mmCIF file of all heavy atoms in Angstrom:
data_model
loop_
_atom_site.group_PDB
_atom_site.id
_atom_site.type_symbol
_atom_site.label_atom_id
_atom_site.label_comp_id
_atom_site.label_asym_id
_atom_site.label_seq_id
_atom_site.Cartn_x
_atom_site.Cartn_y
_atom_site.Cartn_z
ATOM 1 N N ILE A 575 89.009 51.239 240.955
ATOM 2 C CA ILE A 575 89.427 52.458 241.653
ATOM 3 C C ILE A 575 89.562 53.539 240.584
ATOM 4 O O ILE A 575 90.318 53.389 239.621
ATOM 5 C CB ILE A 575 90.758 52.288 242.403
ATOM 6 C CG1 ILE A 575 90.625 51.186 243.463
ATOM 7 C CG2 ILE A 575 91.196 53.595 243.033
ATOM 8 C CD1 ILE A 575 91.897 50.916 244.221
ATOM 9 N N THR A 576 88.778 54.609 240.729
ATOM 10 C CA THR A 576 88.776 55.672 239.730
ATOM 11 C C THR A 576 89.342 56.939 240.342
ATOM 12 O O THR A 576 88.941 57.335 241.442
ATOM 13 C CB THR A 576 87.329 55.951 239.262
ATOM 14 O OG1 THR A 576 86.688 54.700 239.052
ATOM 15 C CG2 THR A 576 87.309 56.777 237.993
ATOM 16 N N THR A 577 90.254 57.577 239.602
ATOM 17 C CA THR A 577 90.773 58.867 240.093
ATOM 18 C C THR A 577 89.791 59.959 239.678
ATOM 19 O O THR A 577 89.539 60.167 238.503
ATOM 20 C CB THR A 577 92.163 59.186 239.489
ATOM 21 O OG1 THR A 577 92.117 58.848 238.115
ATOM 22 C CG2 THR A 577 93.257 58.430 240.158
ATOM 23 N N THR A 578 89.219 60.632 240.665
ATOM 24 C CA THR A 578 88.280 61.712 240.351
ATOM 25 C C THR A 578 89.026 63.028 240.167
ATOM 26 O O THR A 578 88.620 63.877 239.404
ATOM 27 C CB THR A 578 87.223 61.856 241.452
ATOM 28 O OG1 THR A 578 87.902 61.912 242.710
ATOM 29 C CG2 THR A 578 86.259 60.687 241.441
ATOM 30 N N LYS A 579 90.120 63.194 240.925
ATOM 31 C CA LYS A 579 90.990 64.353 240.710
ATOM 32 C C LYS A 579 92.422 63.835 240.627
ATOM 33 O O LYS A 579 92.853 63.061 241.463
ATOM 34 C CB LYS A 579 90.834 65.342 241.874
ATOM 35 C CG LYS A 579 89.562 66.181 241.818
ATOM 36 C CD LYS A 579 89.654 67.338 242.811
ATOM 37 C CE LYS A 579 88.635 68.425 242.544
ATOM 38 N NZ LYS A 579 87.250 67.914 242.460
ATOM 39 N N ARG A 580 93.127 64.265 239.578
ATOM 40 C CA ARG A 580 94.467 63.717 239.406
ATOM 41 C C ARG A 580 95.522 64.455 240.227
ATOM 42 O O ARG A 580 96.624 63.955 240.419
ATOM 43 C CB ARG A 580 94.847 63.742 237.931
ATOM 44 C CG ARG A 580 94.112 62.698 237.122
ATOM 45 C CD ARG A 580 94.758 62.490 235.770
ATOM 46 N NE ARG A 580 94.666 63.693 234.964
ATOM 47 C CZ ARG A 580 93.625 64.006 234.216
ATOM 48 N NH1 ARG A 580 92.608 63.174 234.156
ATOM 49 N NH2 ARG A 580 93.606 65.106 233.526
ATOM 50 N N GLY A 581 95.172 65.683 240.704
ATOM 51 C CA GLY A 581 96.147 66.443 241.480
ATOM 52 C C GLY A 581 97.284 66.945 240.616
ATOM 53 O O GLY A 581 97.264 66.815 239.393
ATOM 54 N N THR A 582 98.308 67.512 241.270
ATOM 55 C CA THR A 582 99.453 68.032 240.513
ATOM 56 C C THR A 582 100.758 67.730 241.212
ATOM 57 O O THR A 582 100.791 67.427 242.402
ATOM 58 C CB THR A 582 99.371 69.571 240.339
ATOM 59 O OG1 THR A 582 99.157 70.156 241.619
ATOM 60 C CG2 THR A 582 98.260 69.982 239.392
ATOM 61 N N ASN A 583 101.852 67.866 240.423
ATOM 62 C CA ASN A 583 103.233 67.809 240.922
ATOM 63 C C ASN A 583 103.647 66.473 241.533
ATOM 64 O O ASN A 583 104.491 66.429 242.414
ATOM 65 C CB ASN A 583 103.487 68.931 241.945
ATOM 66 C CG ASN A 583 103.439 70.287 241.266
ATOM 67 O OD1 ASN A 583 103.796 70.401 240.084
ATOM 68 N ND2 ASN A 583 102.969 71.279 241.986
ATOM 69 N N TYR A 584 103.063 65.393 241.100
ATOM 70 C CA TYR A 584 103.491 64.084 241.597
ATOM 71 C C TYR A 584 104.621 63.560 240.730
ATOM 72 O O TYR A 584 104.576 63.654 239.500
ATOM 73 C CB TYR A 584 102.337 63.074 241.520
ATOM 74 C CG TYR A 584 101.280 63.280 242.589
ATOM 75 C CD1 TYR A 584 100.143 64.030 242.313
ATOM 76 C CD2 TYR A 584 101.419 62.698 243.847
ATOM 77 C CE1 TYR A 584 99.170 64.208 243.270
ATOM 78 C CE2 TYR A 584 100.436 62.877 244.814
ATOM 79 C CZ TYR A 584 99.318 63.628 244.531
ATOM 80 O OH TYR A 584 98.371 63.797 245.470
ATOM 81 N N THR A 585 105.655 63.044 241.374
ATOM 82 C CA THR A 585 106.589 62.222 240.630
ATOM 83 C C THR A 585 106.472 60.783 241.124
ATOM 84 O O THR A 585 106.841 59.851 240.437
ATOM 85 C CB THR A 585 108.050 62.698 240.808
ATOM 86 O OG1 THR A 585 108.335 62.725 242.204
ATOM 87 C CG2 THR A 585 108.267 64.067 240.196
ATOM 88 N N SER A 586 105.977 60.624 242.360
ATOM 89 C CA SER A 586 105.660 59.290 242.856
ATOM 90 C C SER A 586 104.497 59.433 243.835
ATOM 91 O O SER A 586 104.288 60.500 244.416
ATOM 92 C CB SER A 586 106.873 58.678 243.569
ATOM 93 O OG SER A 586 107.137 59.414 244.740
ATOM 94 N N ALA A 587 103.734 58.372 243.984
ATOM 95 C CA ALA A 587 102.587 58.437 244.887
ATOM 96 C C ALA A 587 102.338 57.064 245.483
ATOM 97 O O ALA A 587 102.605 56.047 244.856
ATOM 98 C CB ALA A 587 101.352 58.922 244.132
ATOM 99 N N LEU A 588 101.861 57.085 246.710
ATOM 100 C CA LEU A 588 101.601 55.838 247.433
ATOM 101 C C LEU A 588 100.105 55.777 247.726
ATOM 102 O O LEU A 588 99.511 56.766 248.136
ATOM 103 C CB LEU A 588 102.397 55.856 248.757
ATOM 104 C CG LEU A 588 102.619 54.519 249.438
ATOM 105 C CD1 LEU A 588 103.522 53.635 248.582
ATOM 106 C CD2 LEU A 588 103.237 54.767 250.817
ATOM 107 N N VAL A 589 99.492 54.605 247.516
ATOM 108 C CA VAL A 589 98.053 54.480 247.737
ATOM 109 C C VAL A 589 97.821 53.663 249.007
ATOM 110 O O VAL A 589 98.369 52.566 249.154
ATOM 111 C CB VAL A 589 97.386 53.793 246.540
ATOM 112 C CG1 VAL A 589 95.888 53.690 246.763
ATOM 113 C CG2 VAL A 589 97.703 54.536 245.261
ATOM 114 N N THR A 590 97.042 54.227 249.926
ATOM 115 C CA THR A 590 96.709 53.509 251.150
ATOM 116 C C THR A 590 95.208 53.297 251.194
ATOM 117 O O THR A 590 94.438 54.215 250.893
ATOM 118 C CB THR A 590 97.131 54.331 252.392
ATOM 119 O OG1 THR A 590 98.352 54.979 252.110
ATOM 120 C CG2 THR A 590 97.259 53.436 253.609
ATOM 121 N N LEU A 591 94.782 52.051 251.507
ATOM 122 C CA LEU A 591 93.363 51.770 251.622
ATOM 123 C C LEU A 591 93.020 51.615 253.097
ATOM 124 O O LEU A 591 93.747 50.953 253.846
ATOM 125 C CB LEU A 591 93.004 50.470 250.884
ATOM 126 C CG LEU A 591 92.989 50.566 249.358
ATOM 127 C CD1 LEU A 591 94.374 50.554 248.799
ATOM 128 C CD2 LEU A 591 92.163 49.444 248.782
ATOM 129 N N SER A 592 91.912 52.249 253.507
ATOM 130 C CA SER A 592 91.539 52.114 254.923
ATOM 131 C C SER A 592 90.027 51.995 255.057
ATOM 132 O O SER A 592 89.277 52.479 254.202
ATOM 133 C CB SER A 592 92.064 53.317 255.712
ATOM 134 O OG SER A 592 91.553 54.496 255.131
ATOM 135 N N GLY A 593 89.600 51.353 256.135
ATOM 136 C CA GLY A 593 88.168 51.220 256.422
ATOM 137 C C GLY A 593 87.493 50.259 255.464
ATOM 138 O O GLY A 593 88.135 49.497 254.734
ATOM 139 N N GLY A 594 86.159 50.229 255.502
ATOM 140 C CA GLY A 594 85.384 49.375 254.597
ATOM 141 C C GLY A 594 85.160 47.994 255.146
ATOM 142 O O GLY A 594 84.456 47.190 254.530
ATOM 143 N N GLY A 595 85.754 47.674 256.303
ATOM 144 C CA GLY A 595 85.479 46.403 256.957
ATOM 145 C C GLY A 595 86.264 45.226 256.421
ATOM 146 O O GLY A 595 86.255 44.156 257.007
ATOM 147 N N GLY A 596 86.965 45.357 255.334
ATOM 148 C CA GLY A 596 87.669 44.200 254.768
ATOM 149 C C GLY A 596 89.156 44.293 255.028
ATOM 150 O O GLY A 596 89.631 45.143 255.768
ATOM 151 N N GLN A 597 89.926 43.440 254.408
ATOM 152 C CA GLN A 597 91.379 43.496 254.550
ATOM 153 C C GLN A 597 92.073 42.913 253.316
ATOM 154 O O GLN A 597 91.436 42.273 252.472
ATOM 155 C CB GLN A 597 91.810 42.749 255.801
ATOM 156 C CG GLN A 597 91.275 41.350 255.882
ATOM 157 C CD GLN A 597 91.638 40.713 257.208
ATOM 158 O OE1 GLN A 597 92.811 40.536 257.490
ATOM 159 N NE2 GLN A 597 90.642 40.383 258.030
ATOM 160 N N GLY A 598 93.344 43.203 253.271
ATOM 161 C CA GLY A 598 94.164 42.590 252.216
ATOM 162 C C GLY A 598 94.220 43.377 250.926
ATOM 163 O O GLY A 598 95.013 43.069 250.047
ATOM 164 N N GLY A 599 93.391 44.401 250.784
ATOM 165 C CA GLY A 599 93.391 45.145 249.517
ATOM 166 C C GLY A 599 94.608 46.038 249.394
ATOM 167 O O GLY A 599 95.067 46.611 250.375
ATOM 168 N N SER A 600 95.152 46.103 248.212
ATOM 169 C CA SER A 600 96.255 47.047 247.991
ATOM 170 C C SER A 600 96.205 47.537 246.545
ATOM 171 O O SER A 600 95.652 46.871 245.666
ATOM 172 C CB SER A 600 97.603 46.391 248.296
ATOM 173 O OG SER A 600 97.839 45.365 247.353
ATOM 174 N N ALA A 601 96.758 48.717 246.344
ATOM 175 C CA ALA A 601 96.733 49.300 245.002
ATOM 176 C C ALA A 601 97.964 50.159 244.795
ATOM 177 O O ALA A 601 98.597 50.589 245.760
ATOM 178 C CB ALA A 601 95.472 50.126 244.810
ATOM 179 N N THR A 602 98.328 50.379 243.521
ATOM 180 C CA THR A 602 99.485 51.233 243.219
ATOM 181 C C THR A 602 99.045 52.364 242.288
ATOM 182 O O THR A 602 98.166 52.185 241.445
ATOM 183 C CB THR A 602 100.608 50.441 242.526
ATOM 184 O OG1 THR A 602 100.033 49.767 241.409
ATOM 185 C CG2 THR A 602 101.254 49.444 243.444
ATOM 186 N N ALA A 603 99.687 53.502 242.494
ATOM 187 C CA ALA A 603 99.359 54.655 241.653
ATOM 188 C C ALA A 603 100.240 54.657 240.401
ATOM 189 O O ALA A 603 101.411 54.280 240.465
ATOM 190 C CB ALA A 603 99.578 55.932 242.437
ATOM 191 N N VAL A 604 99.659 55.023 239.276
ATOM 192 C CA VAL A 604 100.430 55.131 238.035
ATOM 193 C C VAL A 604 100.660 56.613 237.740
ATOM 194 O O VAL A 604 99.714 57.367 237.553
ATOM 195 C CB VAL A 604 99.683 54.467 236.862
ATOM 196 C CG1 VAL A 604 100.480 54.604 235.587
ATOM 197 C CG2 VAL A 604 99.393 53.019 237.179
ATOM 198 N N VAL A 605 101.913 57.006 237.792
ATOM 199 C CA VAL A 605 102.269 58.405 237.519
ATOM 200 C C VAL A 605 103.112 58.407 236.256
ATOM 201 O O VAL A 605 104.265 57.988 236.271
ATOM 202 C CB VAL A 605 103.055 58.999 238.702
ATOM 203 C CG1 VAL A 605 103.434 60.436 238.411
ATOM 204 C CG2 VAL A 605 102.238 58.919 239.965
ATOM 205 N N GLN A 606 102.524 58.768 235.120
ATOM 206 C CA GLN A 606 103.300 58.722 233.876
ATOM 207 C C GLN A 606 103.029 59.914 232.952
ATOM 208 O O GLN A 606 103.387 59.904 231.794
ATOM 209 C CB GLN A 606 103.024 57.416 233.133
ATOM 210 C CG GLN A 606 101.542 57.201 232.848
ATOM 211 C CD GLN A 606 101.250 55.864 232.227
ATOM 212 O OE1 GLN A 606 102.091 54.996 232.214
ATOM 213 N NE2 GLN A 606 100.062 55.715 231.686
ATOM 214 N N SER A 607 102.343 60.917 233.508
ATOM 215 C CA SER A 607 102.061 62.130 232.730
ATOM 216 C C SER A 607 101.323 61.828 231.437
ATOM 217 O O SER A 607 101.637 62.353 230.379
ATOM 218 C CB SER A 607 103.353 62.873 232.405
ATOM 219 O OG SER A 607 104.048 63.144 233.565
ATOM 220 N N LYS A 608 100.363 60.944 231.502
ATOM 221 C CA LYS A 608 99.658 60.547 230.301
ATOM 222 C C LYS A 608 98.535 61.520 229.958
ATOM 223 O O LYS A 608 98.311 61.840 228.806
ATOM 224 C CB LYS A 608 99.099 59.140 230.505
ATOM 225 C CG LYS A 608 98.453 58.551 229.274
ATOM 226 C CD LYS A 608 98.041 57.115 229.527
ATOM 227 C CE LYS A 608 97.372 56.507 228.314
ATOM 228 N NZ LYS A 608 96.933 55.138 228.569
ATOM 229 N N PHE A 609 97.837 61.987 230.990
ATOM 230 C CA PHE A 609 96.677 62.837 230.729
ATOM 231 C C PHE A 609 96.892 64.264 231.209
ATOM 232 O O PHE A 609 97.536 64.482 232.237
ATOM 233 C CB PHE A 609 95.440 62.280 231.446
ATOM 234 C CG PHE A 609 94.972 60.982 230.874
ATOM 235 C CD1 PHE A 609 95.259 59.786 231.516
ATOM 236 C CD2 PHE A 609 94.242 60.958 229.689
ATOM 237 C CE1 PHE A 609 94.836 58.583 230.989
ATOM 238 C CE2 PHE A 609 93.813 59.757 229.169
ATOM 239 C CZ PHE A 609 94.110 58.564 229.812
ATOM 240 N N GLY A 610 96.336 65.194 230.488
ATOM 241 C CA GLY A 610 96.280 66.568 230.938
ATOM 242 C C GLY A 610 94.825 66.999 230.975
ATOM 243 O O GLY A 610 93.954 66.325 230.423
ATOM 244 N N THR A 611 94.568 68.136 231.636
ATOM 245 C CA THR A 611 93.195 68.626 231.744
ATOM 246 C C THR A 611 93.029 69.855 230.862
ATOM 247 O O THR A 611 93.948 70.667 230.750
ATOM 248 C CB THR A 611 92.899 69.000 233.207
ATOM 249 O OG1 THR A 611 93.213 67.868 234.014
ATOM 250 C CG2 THR A 611 91.439 69.372 233.408
ATOM 251 N N LEU A 612 91.876 69.953 230.231
ATOM 252 C CA LEU A 612 91.577 71.137 229.426
ATOM 253 C C LEU A 612 90.606 72.021 230.197
ATOM 254 O O LEU A 612 89.781 71.535 230.959
ATOM 255 C CB LEU A 612 90.908 70.729 228.112
ATOM 256 C CG LEU A 612 91.677 69.793 227.205
ATOM 257 C CD1 LEU A 612 90.866 69.557 225.939
ATOM 258 C CD2 LEU A 612 93.017 70.372 226.859
ATOM 259 N N ARG A 613 90.722 73.310 229.947
ATOM 260 C CA ARG A 613 89.732 74.202 230.539
ATOM 261 C C ARG A 613 89.297 75.204 229.476
ATOM 262 O O ARG A 613 89.998 75.428 228.484
ATOM 263 C CB ARG A 613 90.324 74.937 231.733
ATOM 264 C CG ARG A 613 91.460 75.883 231.332
ATOM 265 C CD ARG A 613 91.777 76.826 232.451
ATOM 266 N NE ARG A 613 92.896 77.695 232.115
ATOM 267 C CZ ARG A 613 93.273 78.707 232.867
ATOM 268 N NH1 ARG A 613 92.631 78.972 233.983
ATOM 269 N NH2 ARG A 613 94.291 79.469 232.517
ATOM 270 N N SER A 614 88.110 75.794 229.698
ATOM 271 C CA SER A 614 87.713 76.912 228.856
ATOM 272 C C SER A 614 87.741 78.154 229.728
ATOM 273 O O SER A 614 87.453 78.090 230.925
ATOM 274 C CB SER A 614 86.329 76.680 228.264
ATOM 275 O OG SER A 614 85.387 76.465 229.285
ATOM 276 N N PHE A 615 88.138 79.288 229.136
ATOM 277 C CA PHE A 615 88.269 80.508 229.935
ATOM 278 C C PHE A 615 87.999 81.717 229.052
ATOM 279 O O PHE A 615 87.925 81.619 227.834
ATOM 280 C CB PHE A 615 89.689 80.604 230.532
ATOM 281 C CG PHE A 615 90.745 80.828 229.491
ATOM 282 C CD1 PHE A 615 91.147 82.116 229.134
ATOM 283 C CD2 PHE A 615 91.330 79.759 228.825
ATOM 284 C CE1 PHE A 615 92.106 82.327 228.168
ATOM 285 C CE2 PHE A 615 92.288 79.962 227.857
ATOM 286 C CZ PHE A 615 92.676 81.238 227.525
ATOM 287 N N TYR A 616 87.811 82.845 229.689
ATOM 288 C CA TYR A 616 87.742 84.109 228.953
ATOM 289 C C TYR A 616 88.635 85.120 229.647
ATOM 290 O O TYR A 616 89.082 84.900 230.771
ATOM 291 C CB TYR A 616 86.297 84.626 228.869
ATOM 292 C CG TYR A 616 85.694 85.042 230.195
ATOM 293 C CD1 TYR A 616 85.784 86.354 230.647
ATOM 294 C CD2 TYR A 616 85.030 84.115 230.995
ATOM 295 C CE1 TYR A 616 85.237 86.727 231.859
ATOM 296 C CE2 TYR A 616 84.479 84.482 232.209
ATOM 297 C CZ TYR A 616 84.591 85.792 232.650
ATOM 298 O OH TYR A 616 84.067 86.156 233.853
#
Side-chain angles (χ1 to χ4, degrees):
Chain A
I575 299 178
T576 316
T577 43
T578 50
K579 283 193 164 53
R580 287 195 296 275
T582 51
N583 293 329
Y584 285 95
T585 55
S586 67
L588 199 66
V589 181
T590 322
L591 286 77
S592 57
Q597 53 185 297
S600 66
T602 52
V604 179
V605 179
Q606 56 185 13
S607 305
K608 186 175 179 182
F609 292 102
T611 306
L612 301 182
R613 65 166 177 172
S614 57
F615 68 92
Y616 67 92

